[in-house]
Amino acid sequence: MREPMPISLPLDIPALDPFTELALLLVLAAAAGALAVRLRQPVLIAYIIVGIAVGPAGFELVKAHDQVSVLAQIGVSVLLFVVGLKLDLSRVRDIGKVALATGLGQLAFTIVFGFLLILALGKGVVEALYIAVALTFSSTIIIVKLLSDKHELDALHGRIAIGFLIVQDIAVVVAMMAMSALGAGGDAPAWEIAVSLAARILGAALLMFLLMRYLIPPLLRSMARSQELLLIFAIAWGTGLAALGEWVGFSKEAGAFLAGFSLASTVYREAISARLSGIRDFLLLFFFVDLGAELDFSTLGAEVVPAILLSLFVLIGNPLIVMAIMGAMGYRKRTGFLAGLTVAQISEFSIVFIAMGIGLGHIGVQALGVTTLVGIVTITLSTYMILYSQPLYQVLTPVLSVFERPMPFREIAAEAQVSAEIRPQVLVLGLGRYGLRLAKRLRAAELRVLGVDCDPDLVRTLAQDGLPVCFGDGQDPAFLDTLPLDGLQWVISTLPDIDSNRMLLRALAERHFNGETAIVARDEDRGTKLWRAGAPIILYPFRDAVDFAADNIIDIQRKRTAEGR
């Protein structure tokens, strides 16, 4: 990218070594992120502002651009890897008609009308196409976080939103592959580029099939014996295929996505995803800082008006098309409105996509500036729109009736289907001898039980035996976000150490879990510590076993005495 025009500031700042510069960058990012959280904003906006402040367009505090750039590229690779990791084939098959129709409809609407609007603003054809495609993507990370905080992931509009976010995730990878093929094709005829793209996609599909069929299962079973090794393997796999993807003419982003997708159908998916979430967020900090540092303020002034118009297009146009499609398919206006708000923003993928186009030489840095401005505006405003969706709906409900059929038949059927779904009543964390027997006894009493354990061999064996079980680390708060806490009545922990159970109690409290929580204690001292940590119910397996055995012996002895033996 072209170096931005520096702003001359009367500061005499001594040169710092790269380590100190990165340490300073992290301190500033933490402070700005804390302010963003107080304002109920995603921290990525704070990171972009920090990048502007420390880069050539600001105070020029950080000059370790090469180090930041490498970390940024790894961060993008990990981001796409995690997206691919969540794209399980079974979930793709179960997207549903409404999510597919809404996702494709929103993509088509935004690309076509966005392209025409951008052309009308004086942009070139290729630049207009890139920006129009970038405007179609919504942030899965931000939307899932906001819906999770509001406990709306399992609501009907939440499920539909997650469905069309999957459609968008697939679309962004297809777009990246297509644009990278255009870059590799140079001045070749369109048919040659199309044939080359098709051949590479078929080759990638064949490679993924062979890897998923023969290499990945035994390799993962070996790696999963150590949680630390599993994490290192996941990062190595993602970055390795990212590098391979770029080498064969795709892009690092497409290669990283396929790496995650290759692991998405395994039982280790949730555990890997949970452990990578923190690393992903840490590395993405450098991407957004690097982005802010590379913005050219000498050209941004001319992009303010286009950015405002495109922001209004995203904030208003995208929700309207979602509401129109959902209303036509038989959903109530409230469901369409709440689902539509989730696409009233662009994504971090939008910026990644534009940055890739600049790297391929298709577009100039001006496209990055306008897309970033649109991102800052739409993410900021849509966050508040989602947070305050209910009051906003109450205000707008009189004018939303046009998006609702007289009989919203599909929503009535969908509500009946959701209420009839079988969800676990009891979650048992840790399937050792005590936890496994407890889970089996509860199932025998016709309770719906889900077990969680971090032993891959045990999980595989129990799953083959028909016990509902998933692989994961019960003490990881991020892993809890993947579990259906809303419908649970009991969480029972057999985790052995006190700190793990303290983390579990804190995570459940933060997620407003209102069911019963029981924790196993090995002795009275541990039980007292757990009770002080907030555990409402303490189970004592050894004490209870001794009491049960003693009571049995006493009963037998009393019978023998009564019989005169």
Side-chain angles (χ1 to χ4, degrees):
M1 297 182 186
R2 182 163 57 87
E3 287 295 322
M5 182 74 67
I7 297 175
S8 179
L9 295 171
L11 294 176
D12 185 14
I13 300 174
L16 303 174
D17 62 273
F19 180 84
T20 305
E21 288 186 357
L22 292 179
L24 175 62
L25 183 60
L26 292 174
V27 171
L28 294 174
L35 179 60
V37 171
R38 289 291 298 271
L39 297 174
R40 306 188 75 175
Q41 282 295 314
V43 293
L44 65 88
I45 294 177
Y47 297 159
I48 294 174
I49 295 174
V50 168
I52 295 172
V54 303
F59 297 98
E60 205 168 0
L61 299 177
V62 175
K63 301 180 179 63
H65 302 299
D66 291 340
Q67 293 87 338
V68 172
S69 178
V70 170
L71 291 171
Q73 292 180 53
I74 297 175
V76 171
S77 297
V78 173
L79 171 65
L80 270 297
F81 176 81
V82 172
V83 171
L85 195 63
K86 292 183 177 295
L87 205 62
D88 188 0
L89 283 173
S90 61
R91 294 181 63 189
V92 175
R93 287 193 297 266
D94 296 335
I95 285 175
K97 294 180 180 179
V98 62
L100 184 61
T102 306
L104 294 178
Q106 181 262 322
L107 287 170
F109 170 84
T110 307
I111 290 175
V112 172
F113 288 94
F115 177 73
L116 296 175
L117 176 59
I118 298 164
L119 282 180
L121 292 172
K123 302 295 184 182
V125 173
V126 176
E127 186 176 3
L129 179 60
Y130 259 96
I131 297 176
V133 172
L135 296 182
T136 63
F137 308 132
S138 304
S139 176
T140 302
I141 298 172
I142 294 174
I143 292 170
V144 170
K145 178 66 168 61
L146 291 172
L147 293 178
S148 177
D149 289 346
K150 296 183 68 181
H151 307 286
E152 294 180 355
L153 277 176
D154 288 329
L156 182 58
H157 69 272
R159 293 177 179 225
I160 294 172
I162 298 303
F164 57 66
L165 285 173
I166 293 175
V167 176
Q168 289 185 359
D169 290 341
I170 297 173
V172 70
V173 175
V174 172
M176 287 179 175
M177 288 181 174
M179 293 307 185
S180 61
L182 289 174
D187 297 326
W191 69 269
E192 286 189 14
I193 296 175
V195 170
S196 173
L197 177 60
R200 275 180 281 175
I201 290 178
L202 289 175
L206 178 61
L207 177 63
M208 287 298 102
F209 172 78
L210 294 175
L211 291 176
M212 295 168 68
R213 181 70 174 83
Y214 298 106
L215 177 63
I216 291 176
L219 187 60
L220 268 181
R221 282 196 295 269
S222 175
M223 296 293 177
R225 298 181 184 278
S226 167
Q227 292 288 312
E228 293 78 10
L229 183 58
L230 183 64
L231 175 63
I232 296 299
F233 167 76
I235 297 174
W237 185 256
T239 54
L241 286 192
L244 179 62
E246 187 173 41
W247 181 71
V248 298
F250 281 133
S251 62
K252 290 190 293 292
E253 294 83 3
F257 173 86
L258 292 176
F261 179 74
S262 67
L263 307 183
S265 299
T266 69
V267 297
Y268 313 102
R269 179 190 67 189
E270 299 295 355
I272 294 173
S273 177
R275 286 185 169 268
L276 275 179
S277 60
I279 296 174
R280 174 202 64 197
D281 295 341
F282 171 72
L283 291 173
L284 279 180
L285 152 69
F286 295 100
F287 171 74
F288 290 112
V289 167
D290 191 44
L291 167 69
E294 292 179 338
L295 289 179
D296 190 345
F297 275 75
S298 65
T299 62
L300 279 187
E303 307 296 343
V304 171
V305 173
I308 292 175
L309 293 175
L310 293 176
S311 297
L312 292 173
F313 173 72
V314 172
L315 289 166
I316 299 174
N318 282 354
L320 285 179
I321 189 62
V322 169
M323 285 188 284
I325 294 173
M326 292 185 63
M329 295 187 70
Y331 287 87
R332 295 192 181 102
K333 59 184 178 181
R334 180 179 179 274
T335 305
F337 177 77
L338 296 178
L341 289 183
T342 62
V343 294
Q345 60 177 269
I346 67 171
S347 167
E348 63 276 5
F349 288 122
S350 306
I351 300 172
V352 170
F353 181 70
I354 293 295
M356 187 191 76
I358 296 173
L360 292 171
H362 293 168
I363 51 178
V365 74
Q366 293 84 357
L368 181 64
V370 70
T371 306
T372 303
L373 289 176
V374 173
I376 292 174
V377 173
T378 57
I379 291 172
T380 300
L381 295 180
S382 68
T383 295
Y384 290 118
M385 290 164 63
I386 295 173
L387 288 174
Y388 300 103
S389 58
Q390 300 297 342
L392 190 59
Y393 172 74
Q394 295 298 326
V395 173
L396 297 176
T397 186
V399 300
L400 296 178
S401 298
V402 67
F403 298 107
E404 183 177 274
R405 282 190 173 191
M407 176 61 69
F409 61 92
R410 191 178 297 272
E411 179 156 350
I412 295 173
E415 289 172 346
Q417 180 181 358
V418 169
S419 63
E421 286 182 356
I422 298 177
R423 300 182 183 179
Q425 297 169 291
V426 183
L427 181 70
V428 179
L429 300 173
L431 297 176
R433 287 176 295 179
Y434 184 85
L436 179 58
R437 183 166 180 82
L438 178 64
K440 289 183 175 180
R441 289 296 300 270
L442 294 175
R443 285 200 75 204
E446 298 185 352
L447 293 175
R448 300 188 299 274
V449 180
L450 175 65
V452 177
D453 201 273
C454 60
D455 184 343
D457 294 331
L458 176 63
V459 169
R460 186 171 60 257
T461 300
L462 294 178
Q464 292 172 351
D465 293 340
L467 181 69
V469 60
C470 64
F471 175 83
D473 189 351
Q475 63 176 302
D476 188 346
F479 177 70
L480 293 178
D481 290 331
T482 68
L483 300 174
L485 294 181
D486 290 342
L488 284 176
Q489 299 172 15
W490 283 85
V491 171
I492 303 174
S493 169
T494 68
L495 301 176
D497 59 291
I498 294 175
D499 290 337
S500 297
N501 286 300
R502 284 192 181 123
M503 292 173 61
L504 172 65
L505 290 169
R506 191 179 306 115
L508 291 173
E510 290 173 353
R511 286 152 182 79
H512 306 289
F513 176 66
N514 55 10
E516 301 289 350
T517 304
I519 298 182
V520 171
R522 303 300 189 241
D523 51 50
E524 297 285 347
D525 180 59
R526 290 172 180 259
T528 300
K529 292 179 179 178
L530 289 170
W531 180 79
R532 289 174 179 170
I537 300 175
I538 310 295
L539 304 177
Y540 294 95
F542 296 118
R543 188 185 71 181
D544 294 343
V546 170
D547 291 346
F548 179 78
D551 289 341
N552 278 341
I553 293 173
I554 291 170
D555 287 342
I556 294 172
Q557 183 59 34
R558 284 174 177 171
K559 290 179 181 178
R560 292 170 64 92
T561 301
E563 294 172 357
R565 297 184 188 180

